[in-house]
């Protein structure tokens, strides 16, 4: 596909910085037209990720995607259910890009683990909260709550470019929650 002017979908990471090492980061720029997906629901997002595995793919995210939506099983019911559905595991050679100012990922954790050549751009990522945090009285001087999830987790991966994203826990910020321990 030929990119249109101003279209960030096919943009590679800058040559300077970590994403420019090892030949650079292009994400799914080499994807054939059959591996370019427009998704607007959690089930569509998961299907697009699984369809190509580590082959080049571009996933364009529209609107709000929430793994706790009805099309993906509804609210998390257990700690195990949350771990299974909250973690969205991206493959190598992937571009995940939000389209428009309202592209939002809610109640989810993007995971890049042992992968290479991944671009995550133009997303509003909110509320990647752990519904089942553990209190550890031995952690720190007064103890701490240990939550498992973040908006994006990158482990043992190379050439990953995370660009032009907004991360927030709004609208449910910590000050709105009850104080315990």
């Amino acid at each position: 596909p030929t990119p249109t002017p101003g279209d960030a979908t096919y943009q590679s990471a800058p040559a300077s910085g970590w994403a420019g090492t090892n030949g650079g980061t292009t994400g799914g720029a080499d994807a054939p037209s059959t591996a370019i997906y427009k998704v607007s629901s959690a089930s569509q997002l998961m299907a697009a990720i699984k369809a190509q595995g580590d082959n080049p793919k571009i996933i364009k995210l529209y609107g709000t995607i929430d793994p706790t939506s009805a099309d993906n099983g509804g609210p998390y019911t257990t700690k195990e259910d949350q771990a299974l559905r909250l973690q969205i595991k991206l493959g190598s050679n992937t571009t995940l890009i939000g389209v428009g100012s309202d592209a939002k990922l809610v109640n989810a954790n993007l995971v890049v683990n042992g992968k290479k050549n991944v671009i995550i751009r133009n997303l509003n990522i909110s509320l990647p909260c752990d519904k089942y945090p553990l209190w550890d009285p031995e952690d720190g001087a007064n103890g701490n709550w240990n939550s498992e999830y973040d908006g994006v987790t990158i482990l043992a991966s190379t050439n990953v470019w995370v660009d032009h994203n907004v991360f927030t826990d709004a609208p449910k910020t910590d000050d709105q929650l009850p104080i315990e321990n």
Side-chain angles (χ1 to χ4, degrees):
T2 304
T4 58
D7 183 358
T9 304
Y10 300 95
Q11 185 176 1
S12 297
S16 61
W18 288 110
T21 62
N22 304 320
T25 304
T26 58
D30 290 335
S33 60
T34 56
I36 299 174
Y37 301 91
K38 294 179 179 179
V39 301
S40 59
S41 71
S43 60
Q44 290 174 345
L45 175 59
M46 298 313 297
I49 291 168
K50 289 178 184 174
Q52 296 298 323
D54 286 330
N55 294 319
K57 73 197 119 331
I58 295 172
I59 303 170
K60 297 179 175 187
L61 191 148
Y62 291 83
T64 299
I65 292 185
D66 183 346
T68 65
S69 62
D71 81 303
N72 199 48
Y76 302 128
T77 56
T78 64
K79 182 178 178 95
E80 294 75 21
D81 178 47
Q82 179 181 7
L84 179 67
R85 292 190 294 133
L86 174 130
Q87 296 182 67
I88 298 173
K89 299 175 182 177
L90 299 177
S92 294
N93 305 305
T94 298
T95 295
L96 177 62
I97 188 166
V99 178
S101 61
D102 66 339
K104 184 184 264 186
L105 192 58
V106 180
N107 294 317
N109 170 221
L110 292 174
V111 179
V112 181
N113 188 355
K115 302 300 179 180
K116 61 184 176 182
N117 197 28
V118 177
I119 296 174
I120 300 169
R121 296 193 76 196
N122 301 345
L123 295 171
N124 293 297
I125 299 172
S126 65
L127 291 175
C129 64
D130 187 348
K131 285 186 64 175
Y132 306 96
L134 296 174
W135 173 255
D136 183 352
E138 303 297 319
D139 186 358
N142 298 315
N144 279 304
W145 285 100
N146 292 311
S147 295
E148 184 127 1
Y149 306 108
D150 294 312
V152 175
T153 302
I154 303 169
L155 303 164
S157 298
T158 58
N159 294 83
V160 178
W161 188 34
V162 180
D163 182 54
H164 283 84
N165 296 291
V166 174
F167 297 89
T168 182
D169 58 352
K172 192 168 190 164
T173 55
D174 289 346
D175 62 324
Q176 298 174 18
L177 300 172
I179 296 175
E180 295 184 33
N181 294 325

